[in-house]
Amino acid sequence: MTLFAEVRHLSSAKAPLVLLHGFGGIGSAWAPVIARLDPDLPLLVYDLPGHGHSLDAVGVGHAGVMAKAILDDLDKRGLSFFHLCGHSMGGAIASLIALRARDRVASLTLVAPGGFGPEIDHQALRRYGLAVEVEELAGGLAAMAAQGVAFEAVGLDLHAAARRNAGAADRLMQIVQSFLVETDERIGQGTLPLSSFSDLGIPTRLLWGTADPILPVAQAKNIWQGAEVALIEGAGHMLIDEAPERVAAAIRAAMAEG
């Protein structure tokens, strides 16, 4: 099965923006950010392998496996130049795509990306990955966000519908297991080859919430030199919902440079 992506305005001569959601999400999770971008912007919004409409697509696994699947799909679509934005696990995938195809990536926006340090609240991710009904999903998302953040009912309904598909929870547990590393002392996430990014040469924006309970904000210091870093005071991990205007502004700034 091929990857699913919502496509908008790809006939445009402009390089499209490719959006990659985080673990357990679906492409429609980007709605709060998309609503704040140019409505005529060419867009490709993926359901990542093992998620949503891409439940049985090729490429289910850790960030490197998914990066290859996304690049292969972009090749099939004939897209030789594009902007990239990824959240959490999607940020790790976007980083690896940029590393592997730097001549094709016009700009890179990373939103609390995975892979920048070993620390991760894997238990919260597992609970979220096993949630199915709207109430469970709302609780799982709330545990990853700052206090008092409201998640849109329409988005939760779409999310729950995707989770009710046969095998959805099994796929997510397979994915979370693929990017965790167990040592004698702890369970952490695998990290990106960050030293390889020093000469990336792509306009890059990084956003991170200072109260992120999933990936500690201290990991932001591991970004390569030349990237623009914005720390969002008091925000948690779900910046697409918590600070959609800040995310949209970072995308616009990165795209303007690229």
Side-chain angles (χ1 to χ4, degrees):
M1 181 179 171
T2 58
L3 281 170
F4 171 84
E6 180 186 353
V7 176
R8 301 186 188 182
H9 310 301
L10 279 195
S11 59
S12 169
K14 296 179 182 177
L17 171 64
V18 177
L19 294 174
L20 306 177
H21 62 75
F23 168 75
I26 49 179
S28 61
W30 286 102
V33 172
I34 292 171
R36 291 163 171 82
L37 296 172
D38 181 347
D40 295 323
L41 177 68
L43 277 178
L44 200 62
V45 188
Y46 279 98
D47 282 2
L48 291 175
H51 296 73
H53 295 295
S54 299
L55 182 63
D56 296 317
V58 296
V60 175
H62 56 69
V65 173
M66 293 198 188
K68 182 181 184 306
I70 297 293
L71 263 175
D72 287 347
D73 190 75
L74 291 168
D75 288 342
K76 290 173 185 174
R77 295 174 187 271
L79 296 174
S80 59
F81 202 52
F82 45 85
H83 300 272
L84 267 177
C85 176
H87 171 236
S88 195
M89 182 180 74
I93 296 166
S95 298
L96 288 173
I97 292 172
L99 185 62
R100 296 174 183 184
R102 63 182 71 196
D103 58 329
R104 298 172 61 185
V105 179
S107 72
L108 180 63
T109 306
L110 303 174
V111 184
F116 277 68
E119 299 83 9
I120 188 171
D121 188 341
H122 62 94
Q123 293 177 327
L125 290 180
R126 290 182 194 275
R127 288 193 296 270
Y128 169 58
L130 291 170
V132 176
E133 300 304 327
V134 167
E135 295 79 10
E136 297 172 319
L137 285 165
L141 290 166
M144 297 191 284
Q147 269 193 328
V149 175
F151 294 88
E152 295 179 1
V154 172
L156 288 170
D157 287 340
L158 289 171
H159 208 155
R163 291 292 182 92
R164 293 186 191 112
N165 290 325
D170 291 340
R171 282 284 188 277
L172 293 180
M173 291 305 100
Q174 178 186 349
I175 291 166
V176 77
Q177 195 60 39
S178 76
F179 64 72
L180 293 179
V181 177
E182 188 169 357
T183 66
D184 293 337
E185 298 179 356
R186 65 185 173 191
I187 297 176
Q189 65 173 334
T191 54
L192 297 172
L194 294 172
S195 61
S196 301
F197 289 83
S198 60
D199 61 347
L200 189 63
I202 296 170
T204 300
R205 294 286 191 285
L206 174 72
L207 292 91
W208 218 301
T210 62
D212 190 325
I214 304 299
L215 300 173
V217 67
Q219 293 178 5
K221 73 179 185 300
N222 297 328
I223 190 70
W224 45 92
Q225 189 173 7
E228 293 287 334
V229 178
L231 303 184
I232 304 179
E233 191 64 35
H237 188 64
M238 304 307 291
L239 297 180
I240 293 172
D241 300 278
E242 298 181 62
E245 180 52 47
R246 293 287 299 273
V247 175
I251 292 171
R252 288 192 296 267
M255 291 181 70
E257 274 192 58

